[in-house]
Amino acid sequence: MKTRSLSVGLEPLDNAQLANLCGALDENLRQIEMAYDVTLSRRGKHCRIDGDPAQARQAANALKHFYALATAPLSVDDIQLGLVELRSRQPAAATSAGLLTKKTDLHGRTPHQVEYLRQIQEHDITFGVGPAGTGKTYLAVASAVDAFERDQVQRIILTRPAVEAGERLGFLPGDLAQKVDPYLRPLYDALYDLMGFDKVARLFEKQNIEIAPLAYMRGRTLNHAFIILDEAQNTTPEQMKMFLTRIGIGAKAVVTGDVTQIDLPKGQKSGLIEARRILANVRGLAFTDFDAGDVVRHPLVARIVVAYEANGANVAKA
């Protein structure tokens, strides 16, 4: 791979601003290194960037961007989320309206995330499909919290199939509730982050929030609710049809999943893939596809997703 060295001067020199940019033990600079696959070395206000020429230029632009923001301390989260926005070339202020949650700065940070939030607002049933870390579930829960806080729905219902790679419920300790709880933990975590532990606990007591395995949805009609089906790639076609036909009056549903991480028994069709095929031309539904550019976790996650996608493409050609 062709490499080059690029020198960047951070002007005007401000030692406090420079310290804010670098972070503790230069951790912020390490995040930029990993995001662009380059090597950074700094002496005072001068930085040298070694790597692929195009990546080095992007890293240089990122350094200048974050230095301008470093009038206050920058956390690792600030850097990682900012890198996502730089990658999408869409500034935070222009992405989307804020959601009414505990996190006042929550908004779509990539074009796909902005589209996803808009689709959720404009459609009664929305599908979000893509790899891990792209915000599918978190933004869906945030949209549910927003709708609840604005009195657009009376309750929030979160569900997912109790299927996991290499695990079976019967081998886990405890009663059914304790067996199922680990599968639903990501949904609890999102709620606590967006509403606070105490408020979520009160809403559970009042049954304004319900989290249950997908099997518990059979036979119900869900009115005036915001319903999220997570990990939908692990539904069967019959389960997906059952879920979609639960939607009642005044209800809104979001279905999320990653078709590259299907844990169903070999030979079993995924309900998410089948729904995409069967419902492609049904009006009133919306599909948003995410990719590695939407990953908002550690910068390495996006590169891991790309590597697996490339490997899958090579295997398909073989």
Side-chain angles (χ1 to χ4, degrees), residues 47-92:
C47 293
R48 194 181 81 178
I49 307 171
D50 296 298
D52 174 79
Q55 295 289 85
R57 287 194 297 272
Q58 292 182 49
N61 290 333
L63 278 174
K64 294 175 182 177
H65 171 78
F66 288 118
Y67 186 64
L69 299 177
T71 52
L74 297 176
S75 67
V76 170
D77 285 354
D78 293 329
I79 297 296
Q80 291 186 354
L81 292 172
L83 287 167
V84 172
E85 292 175 352
L86 284 174
R87 203 160 57 229
S88 68
R89 297 183 180 181
Q90 187 158 349

Side-chain angles (χ1 to χ4, degrees), residues 22-32 34 76 80 298:
C22 296
L25 302 176
D26 286 348
E27 177 59 26
N28 292 345
L29 297 184
R30 301 289 79 78
Q31 297 298 315
I32 296 172
M34 285 186 287
V76 170
Q80 291 186 354
H298 194 288

Side-chain angles (χ1 to χ4, degrees), residues 32-40 49-52 55-56 59 303:
I32 296 172
E33 275 189 327
M34 285 186 287
Y36 295 105
D37 197 17
V38 297
T39 301
L40 289 176
I49 307 171
D50 296 298
D52 174 79
Q55 295 289 85
R303 286 159 59 189

Side-chain angles (χ1 to χ4, degrees), residues 1-20:
M1 180 180 71
K2 181 182 179 182
T3 62
R4 64 171 290 187
S5 293
L6 185 64
S7 295
V8 179
L10 300 174
E11 302 284 355
L13 176 61
D14 183 309
N15 289 328
Q17 198 168 340
L18 195 59
N20 291 337

